[in-house]
Amino acid sequence: MLVVKAKLKNGTPEQYHQLDEAIKTSQFVRNSCVRYWIENKGTTRNDLQKLCAVLANNKETPWVNKLNSQARQSAADRAWQSITRFYQNCHAKILGKKGFPRFKKHSRSVEYKLTGYKLSDNRRKIKFTDGFKAGEFDLWCSQKTLVYYSEQQIRRVKVVRRADGYYCQFLIDVERQEYHKPTGQITGIDLGLKEFYTDAQGNTVENPRYLRKSEKRLKKAQRRLSKRFRQGKKQSKNYHKQRIKVARLHLKVSRQRKDKAIKDALALVQCNDLVVYEALKVRNLVKNLKLSKSISDASWYQFTEWLNYFAKIYRIVCVAVPPHFTTQDCSVCGTRVQKSLSTRTHQCPNCKTVLDRDHNAAINILKKGLQYLGNHLNGTVGQTETDPNALGESGLWILNGDIENLSCLVEQGISNSDVERVPRHSVA
């Protein structure tokens, strides 16, 4: 599947208002499904689909019938996804909150399936044909256009409202495959705050800190927004203008993070045949109040998600390993050297090794990945297509056709100059 995003342009204020009404109706259907599930024990997905038709035929809610029938079903599917996720978390007995389905207050999207819209022959315009009659919009694509794909390949169309306008996201039924030329390189990466990541060869990528750099402008804009707020009164037009300015600043930071994560993950995959990273539990790490803003600003989770995605596309091996003691253990002799967060240099009292803290951790992460690969080849541990964030498993992302290439990767890792002191029994 491939997602192509296009901006909806050259529409009138009335047309955009009709899109807002469709989004609100989709939110109403989704919340009604959640309410029905709460009040009726044993509700199934099929019951929620039937509820959509009941709401459309209800005289008290005539606006629901304006929304396309498949768009109503998509809203019910969203409600069922949140319910299913809640059930899964309860069965898994995860600690803390289980994610009980909540009512949406500010939805920003409505999703159509195969009907409710029509594309022009040149794929440059889209017309919404449901009861809201939003009309025709121009499609502006910055990278890829829809001309390369047939209308039968478009499975979903999602209208999303952002701070800078309205966008259409087209879900294309096409398999993306990229050719990866073997480089003979393997690496492990240690994610950090001082540097975004450090690899096993000692190379570093800087942490851009986009939120920190934009904080001055954000604080100034938010102060202006606060001064224009009137408690218990209808907000003025100037308040809403300033609110949009603040939202656009946050949107810019979000897009900068995403662009950085995509480029770094793609470069790492294209330059290596094996990538090992630590499976951090970011949800637990942000509980540290002193570092939570910096951790969120680094966007580690987003980076690892794109890393796994590109690893599948380019058919390389990507391994997620538990992060336990990767910073404390010596990468040469294995001695555990306790360090505080402020200690940036690893100094082993046993073998006298002196390394940068993150470089030492990256080598240990690569060692763990090679050990998991060796155990996988011996059939003692590891599963194909496992969850990369599962700390109890090897977290291997291995395609069926790549198994025969793992032996040479492990042998290469043993003979690599950066990990040449790894005991041979640790990967056998």
Side-chain angles (χ1 to χ4, degrees):
M1 291 293 183
L2 182 67
V3 176
V4 176
K5 185 170 70 172
K7 190 170 185 179
L8 297 177
K9 302 190 73 175
N10 299 331
T12 64
E14 179 61 26
Q15 286 180 285
Y16 291 122
H17 175 71
Q18 294 302 323
L19 289 180
D20 286 333
E21 292 299 318
I23 292 173
K24 290 179 182 178
T25 305
S26 176
Q27 172 184 295
F28 174 79
V29 174
R30 189 256 179 203
N31 290 341
S32 299
C33 291
V34 173
R35 171 64 67 185
Y36 184 84
W37 170 76
I38 294 175
E39 295 177 350
N40 297 273
K41 187 177 180 181
T43 301
T44 63
R45 179 177 179 272
N46 193 33
D47 295 332
L48 299 185
Q49 296 291 331
K50 293 179 181 178
L51 180 64
C52 295
V54 174
L55 293 173
N57 297 326
N58 191 349
K59 295 181 179 180
E60 297 180 0
T61 57
W63 63 88
V64 178
N65 195 32
K66 291 184 179 181
L67 188 64
N68 178 264
S69 60
Q70 292 186 358
R72 297 195 297 263
Q73 294 172 4
S74 296
D77 288 339
R78 290 189 195 181
W80 185 250
Q81 286 176 1
S82 62
I83 294 169
T84 304
R85 184 166 54 249
F86 170 68
Y87 283 150
Q88 290 175 349
N89 292 340
C90 290
H91 290 316
K93 297 181 180 180
I94 64 170
L95 300 177
K97 296 181 178 180
K98 307 298 187 295
F100 189 86
R102 294 183 178 183
F103 298 107
K104 289 286 185 180
K105 187 176 181 181
H106 300 292
S107 293
R108 298 182 179 89
S109 64
V110 57
E111 185 178 277
Y112 298 89
K113 293 184 180 180
L114 301 177
T115 59
Y117 65 92
K118 185 175 182 180
L119 287 169
S120 62
D121 295 336
N122 59 0
R123 306 288 193 276
R124 298 298 180 95
K125 295 179 183 292
I126 185 172
K127 183 177 181 180
F128 295 98
T129 60
D130 59 352
F132 290 102
K133 298 181 180 179
E136 192 174 59
F137 298 86
D138 290 339
L139 293 174
W140 184 79
C141 300
S142 59
Q143 295 178 347
K144 295 183 178 181
T145 62
L146 299 171
V147 180
Y148 302 109
Y149 311 105
S150 65
E151 195 168 350
Q152 289 73 24
Q153 289 179 293
I154 301 176
R155 311 308 300 172
R156 299 286 178 99
V157 174
K158 188 175 184 180
V159 180
V160 183
R161 182 179 65 238
R162 301 290 186 195
D164 62 341
Y166 293 76
Y167 292 85
C168 254
Q169 296 177 353
F170 297 88
L171 183 64
I172 311 297
D173 186 9
V174 60
E175 185 177 357
R176 181 182 176 185
Q177 291 184 351
E178 300 286 349
Y179 173 72
H180 174 71
K181 184 178 180 180
T183 61
Q185 300 293 325
I186 63 174
T187 191
I189 58 172
D190 175 67
L191 301 172
L193 295 178
K194 182 182 177 183
E195 306 291 345
F196 182 65
Y197 75 76
T198 304
D199 63 18
Q201 289 73 34
N203 304 315
T204 60
V205 173
E206 67 171 349
N207 185 4
R209 298 180 176 87
Y210 292 119
L211 180 61
R212 296 289 185 181
K213 291 178 181 178
S214 302
E215 262 188 330
K216 188 175 180 180
R217 284 180 296 170
L218 274 169
K219 287 180 179 179
K220 185 177 180 180
Q222 287 171 343
R223 279 198 301 268
R224 288 182 178 178
L225 181 65
S226 251
K227 290 178 181 178
R228 294 176 182 178
F229 179 75
R230 298 292 179 264
Q231 181 71 32
K233 297 181 181 179
K234 184 178 180 180
Q235 305 305 320
S236 64
K237 290 184 179 179
N238 287 334
Y239 170 82
H240 290 292
K241 287 180 181 179
Q242 188 62 28
R243 177 180 58 82
I244 294 174
K245 288 181 180 179
V246 174
R248 286 183 176 179
L249 287 174
H250 282 288
L251 182 62
K252 181 180 179 180
V253 173
S254 175
R255 286 173 173 169
Q256 285 176 324
R257 288 175 182 165
K258 181 179 178 181
D259 182 67
K260 175 72 172 175
I262 292 175
K263 290 178 179 177
D264 287 346
L266 181 59
L268 199 61
V269 168
Q270 288 178 338
C271 296
N272 295 277
D273 297 334
L274 167 66
V275 178
V276 186
Y277 70 95
E278 49 186 347
L280 297 174
K281 290 290 185 181
V282 180
R283 184 172 60 180
N284 296 335
L285 293 174
V286 294
K287 293 179 182 179
N288 186 332
L289 299 182
K290 294 183 179 180
L291 298 177
S292 58
K293 184 186 290 187
S294 298
I295 292 173
S296 299
D297 195 14
S299 64
W300 293 333
Y301 179 79
Q302 188 178 42
F303 170 73
T304 55
E305 287 291 297
W306 281 106
L307 186 62
N308 285 313
Y309 170 75
F310 286 123
K312 288 183 177 180
I313 296 299
Y314 284 85
R315 301 180 67 87
I316 75 164
V317 183
C318 186
V319 185
V321 299
H324 307 117
F325 305 111
T326 54
T327 303
Q328 309 292 339
D329 292 347
C330 179
S331 58
V332 176
C333 64
T335 302
R336 187 154 296 170
V337 184
Q338 299 294 332
K339 306 179 188 68
S340 63
L341 195 60
S342 60
T343 305
R344 305 308 308 173
T345 304
H346 167 74
Q347 296 179 342
C348 181
N350 185 28
C351 63
K352 309 303 180 182
T353 300
V354 178
L355 279 175
D356 180 76
R357 171 197 183 104
D358 296 335
H359 187 193
N360 175 73
I363 297 175
N364 284 331
I365 290 169
L366 178 57
K367 286 182 178 181
K368 277 192 174 185
L370 293 173
Q371 182 180 0
Y372 279 177
L373 283 176
N375 291 336
H376 180 83
L377 290 173
N378 292 335
T380 57
V381 69
Q383 300 175 2
T384 58
E385 301 290 344
T386 57
D387 181 6
N389 292 315
L391 298 184
E393 298 180 355
S394 65
L396 300 180
W397 287 104
I398 301 173
L399 299 174
N400 294 331
D402 295 337
I403 302 298
E404 61 271 13
N405 299 326
L406 296 184
S407 296
C408 61
L409 288 176
V410 174
E411 293 173 2
Q412 177 187 351
I414 297 174
S415 61
N416 189 285
S417 59
D418 288 312
V419 290
E420 60 183 357
R421 301 179 188 178
V422 185
R424 212 170 257 280
H425 68 270
S426 65
V427 293

